[in-house]
């Protein structure tokens, strides 16, 4: 597994490096620590670029040393350009499987504006992305984790389940599998009335039952995959009904969760641009770390 850890000099980046250092990984995992010198910041003061490069080297080398001290293989990468593009470009060049980068924090404005860089990476990265947030008690992932795995039963969600299943996790880690029965939300009463006039109540009931069956099947299938991998998996007796974005965030807070894991819609065209309003909304507003998993090329539908 190849992990790209994007860092700067902020505390949020320190949290990302700490998570990477503390968490167990597959035996063949290698790390690349990247700092992008934002040329736009120095457009009017090019004389400061050399100082910025030296600072970048110091930041990257400190992170590499921390990873190396715990036995990981790590190398440094420094790029010049615009971070929003350069991180994804570097991930593509390195054939990275996962990008890890820090969030701005737990505050409301920090969650709302996780950063144009993080948002751009989420939308455009050629691989899975984890937005790392430090847990409320300040601990890192050397302890047992509570992972909320959201699935809708799609190929992308199943791919996310398999990704979690084939990675090692701290002893005692529990994965809670969640599938939401999404309901149709109408902008106004006229739209709802129009639907009632066109579709009989029996059909609406049939669609509702089908949604329930899909959710139940998705949860059971995910749990079976995780159990076969030796990972403890649990779920609630009934699938919640409503807007998945709000429900996932609510469950993550009430459980409470160390990490939310979700599948992405893919990497092609409009799917890449809108990678899933659910995934992006959860990554933006969650109080914990969020990993959005994209399928490997050979696994894409």
């Amino acid at each position: 597994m190849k992990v790209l850890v994007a860092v700067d000099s902020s505390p949020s980046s320190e949290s990302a490096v700490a998570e990477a250092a503390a968490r167990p990984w597959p035996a063949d995992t290698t790390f690349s620590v990247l700092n992008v010198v934002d040329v736009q910041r120095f457009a009017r003061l090019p004389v400061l670029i050399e100082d910025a490069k030296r600072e970048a080297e110091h930041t990257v080398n400190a992170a590499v040393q921390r990873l190396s001290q715990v036995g990981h293989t790590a190398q440094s990468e420094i790029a010049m350009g615009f971070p929003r593009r350069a991180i994804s470009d570097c991930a593509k060049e390195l054939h990275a499987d996962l990008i890890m980068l820090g969030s701005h924090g737990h505050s409301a404005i920090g969650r709302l504006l996780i950063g144009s860089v993080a948002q751009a990476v989420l939308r455009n990265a050629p691989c899975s992305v984890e937005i790392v947030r430090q847990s409320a008690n300040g601990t890192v992932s050397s302890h047992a984790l509570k992972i909320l795995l959201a699935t809708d039963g799609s190929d992308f969600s199943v791919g996310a389940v398999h990704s979690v299943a084939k990675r090692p996790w701290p002893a005692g880690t529990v994965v809670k599998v969640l599938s939401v029965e999404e309901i149709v939300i109408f902008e106004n009463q006229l739209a709802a009335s129009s639907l009632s006039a066109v579709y009989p109540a029996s059909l609406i009931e049939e669609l509702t039952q089908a949604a329930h069956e899909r959710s139940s099947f998705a949860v059971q299938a995910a749990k079976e995959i995780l159990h076969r991998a030796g990972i403890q998996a649990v779920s609630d007796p009934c699938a919640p009904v409503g807007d998945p974005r709000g429900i996932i965030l609510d469950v993550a807070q009430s459980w409470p969760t160390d990490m939310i894991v979700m599948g992405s819609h893919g990497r092609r065209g409009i799917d890449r641009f809108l990678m899933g309003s659910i995934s992006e909304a959860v990554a933006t507003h969650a109080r914990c770390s969020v990993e959005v998993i994209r399928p490997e090329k050979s696994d894409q539908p």
Side-chain angles (χ1 to χ4, degrees):
M1 185 175 187
K2 296 182 179 180
V3 181
L4 176 64
V5 185
V7 300
D8 53 26
S9 57
S10 67
S12 62
S13 285
E14 293 179 5
S15 296
V17 175
E19 284 291 325
R23 194 180 299 170
W25 298 94
D28 60 347
T29 298
T30 59
F31 293 86
S32 296
V33 182
L34 169 69
N35 181 276
V36 180
V37 179
D38 190 347
V39 295
Q40 188 173 14
R41 293 176 53 193
F42 306 102
R44 297 183 180 181
L45 292 170
V47 68
L48 298 179
I49 290 181
E50 291 303 317
D51 290 337
K53 288 182 179 178
R54 284 191 289 270
E55 181 180 350
E57 291 175 358
H58 174 76
T59 299
V60 167
N61 290 338
V64 168
Q65 182 178 9
R66 183 166 187 175
L67 291 167
S68 300
Q69 285 175 342
V70 294
H72 294 309
T73 300
Q75 65 181 23
S76 61
E77 300 284 343
I78 296 176
M80 303 290 294
F82 302 102
R84 286 177 290 183
R85 293 200 302 263
I87 294 173
S88 295
D89 289 345
C90 185
K92 184 176 181 180
E93 292 173 4
L94 295 173
H95 303 287
D97 301 295
L98 173 67
I99 299 172
M100 298 180 71
L101 68 166
S103 166
H104 284 177
H106 293 285
S107 66
I109 191 65
R111 292 195 307 275
L112 181 62
L113 302 174
I114 57 174
S116 58
V117 173
Q119 187 178 54
V121 173
L122 275 170
R123 290 182 174 180
N124 299 304
C127 60
S128 301
V129 178
E130 180 179 341
I131 305 298
V132 179
R133 291 181 174 90
Q134 190 176 47
S135 63
N137 59 13
T139 60
V140 293
S141 297
S142 56
H143 67 295
L145 295 175
K146 297 175 74 174
I147 299 174
L148 180 63
L149 177 56
T151 177
D152 60 7
S154 66
D155 290 337
F156 297 107
S157 287
V158 173
V161 176
H162 281 290
S163 178
V164 171
K166 69 182 181 181
R167 284 157 55 179
W169 300 98
T173 291
V174 178
V175 177
K176 184 171 188 175
V177 182
L178 172 68
S179 184
V180 180
E181 294 180 28
E182 189 170 3
I183 59 174
V184 178
I185 300 175
F186 300 101
E187 296 280 335
N188 52 57
Q189 189 61 36
L190 179 60
S193 299
S194 298
L195 182 65
S196 299
V198 175
Y199 299 105
S202 60
L203 177 57
I204 302 300
E205 292 177 3
E206 183 179 341
L207 293 173
T208 302
Q209 179 62 26
H212 173 72
E213 292 174 357
R214 282 195 302 271
S215 295
S216 298
F217 179 81
V219 169
Q220 188 59 35
K223 290 173 67 175
E224 289 177 0
I225 293 170
L226 295 169
H227 285 153
R228 287 198 297 268
I231 298 174
Q232 183 180 358
V234 299
S235 62
D236 290 332
C238 299
V241 179
D243 183 350
R245 292 166 293 189
I247 290 176
I248 292 169
L249 293 170
D250 288 344
V251 172
Q253 189 170 351
S254 63
W255 191 29
T257 300
D258 296 297
M259 180 191 300
I260 300 170
V261 177
M262 308 178 66
S264 166
H265 282 181
R267 297 203 290 257
R268 297 184 296 274
I270 194 67
D271 280 341
R272 185 179 68 242
F273 181 70
L274 297 176
M275 84 178 186
S277 59
I278 295 174
S279 299
E280 189 166 340
V282 170
T284 300
H285 296 286
R287 296 176 180 269
C288 60
S289 297
V290 177
E291 182 171 335
V292 178
I293 296 179
R294 287 184 171 87
E296 298 177 2
K297 288 183 178 180
S298 58
D299 297 334
Q300 290 188 56

